[in-house]
């Protein structure tokens, strides 16, 4: 006994709308952005006898994989060497379009006195041409979805291995954690 199903445009429309809504919700789920340090360049030295502070320019490639634009506030990235705060980099407030990549140029300053406190370790790192740095930064911002701004907080931990002679980035691991804030 064969029973023929009756075609219903209403059922087809409800099914298509449900599939579209499910796809939209899955693709709208917040994704962590990615960060990649491209280069480090010396910009100047500041003589503070008996040590020298160094000014650098860090070039960071940032990818926003989300389907919404984001705005973020200014913040400071902390740079650590051998467990001690070695310097900081300024991150200016800005915005980024959805599903886009940008290059950020971050001015940084390294404290020569702090580096002098780790002189034996630093000279050993120069000899083997590998220096391990840690960087940490917290961002606050808003992502606009439809008509509402949704607050977020993001923490980024970076583990970097650089050549202290030529300042080449040898290896890096960047971990970002995005947290949506409930208003």
């Amino acid at each position: 006994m064969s029973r023929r199903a009756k075609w219903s445009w209403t059922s087809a429309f409800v099914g298509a709308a449900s599939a579209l809504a499910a796809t939209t919700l899955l693709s709208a789920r917040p994704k962590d952005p990615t960060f990649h340090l491209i280069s480090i360049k010396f910009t100047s030295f500041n003589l503070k006898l008996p040590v020298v502070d160094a000014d650098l320019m860090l070039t960071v490639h940032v990818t926003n994989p989300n389907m919404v634009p984001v705005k973020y506030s200014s913040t400071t990235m902390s740079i650590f060497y051998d467990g001690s705060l070695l310097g900081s980099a300024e991150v200016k407030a800005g915005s980024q379009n959805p599903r886009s990549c940008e290059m950020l140029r971050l001015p940084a300053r390294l404290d020569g006195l702090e580096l002098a406190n780790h002189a034996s370790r630093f000279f050993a790192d120069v000899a083997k041409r590998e220096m391990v740095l840690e960087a940490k930064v917290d961002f606050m911002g808003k992502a606009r979805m439809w008509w509402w701004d949704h607050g977020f907080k993001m923490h980024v931990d970076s583990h970097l291995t650089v050549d202290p002679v030529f300042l080449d980035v040898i290896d890096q691991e960047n971990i970002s954690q995005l947290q949506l804030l409930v208003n």
Side-chain angles (χ1 to χ4, degrees):
M1 208 182 246
S2 128
R3 194 165 202 206
R4 193 170 178 193
K6 186 176 178 185
W7 176 259
S8 167
W9 281 104
T10 304
S11 296
F13 179 74
V14 168
S18 298
L20 180 63
T23 302
T24 301
L25 283 174
L26 287 175
S27 65
R29 179 181 52 86
K31 299 169 192 76
D32 290 343
T34 59
F35 300 87
H36 188 78
L37 179 63
I38 302 297
S39 67
I40 305 169
K41 294 186 179 173
F42 276 113
T43 55
S44 68
F45 292 104
N46 299 311
L47 183 60
K48 288 184 178 178
L49 294 175
V51 294
V52 177
D53 288 345
D55 288 336
L56 307 169
M57 186 61 69
L58 309 177
T59 303
V60 179
H61 181 262
V62 181
T63 303
N64 176 11
N66 296 295
M67 57 185 271
V68 296
V70 295
K71 290 183 181 177
Y72 51 90
S73 60
S74 61
T75 188
T76 302
M77 176 175 58
S78 300
I79 303 168
F80 297 91
Y81 176 64
D82 198 24
S84 298
L85 182 63
L86 179 61
S88 62
E90 180 185 336
V91 181
K92 294 181 182 175
S95 63
Q96 189 165 349
N97 293 326
R99 294 188 176 156
S100 67
C101 301
E102 286 189 15
M103 293 289 208
L104 299 179
R105 286 177 177 56
L106 310 177
R109 173 164 282 181
L110 300 182
D111 183 354
L113 182 59
E114 189 59 45
L115 193 57
N117 289 335
H118 299 277
S120 61
R121 168 98 190 248
F122 177 70
F123 289 123
D125 287 348
V126 169
K128 68 180 180 178
R129 306 253 327 249
E130 281 191 9
M131 180 178 187
V132 176
L133 299 170
E134 303 289 332
K136 298 180 185 304
V137 66
D138 288 307
F139 289 95
M140 298 289 288
K142 294 185 184 219
R144 186 166 210 48
M145 184 161 221
W146 293 304
W147 300 277
W148 299 283
D149 283 338
H150 301 278
F152 67 87
K153 180 180 179 182
M154 184 174 42
H155 179 78
V156 181
D157 283 317
S158 298
H159 179 83
L160 307 162
T161 305
V162 299
D163 177 346
V165 177
F166 294 113
L167 296 179
D168 293 330
V169 180
I170 298 169
D171 189 27
Q172 64 184 296
E173 180 183 4
N174 301 298
I175 300 169
S176 58
Q177 298 172 332
L178 182 68
Q179 175 186 2
L180 294 178
L181 304 175
V182 179
N183 296 345

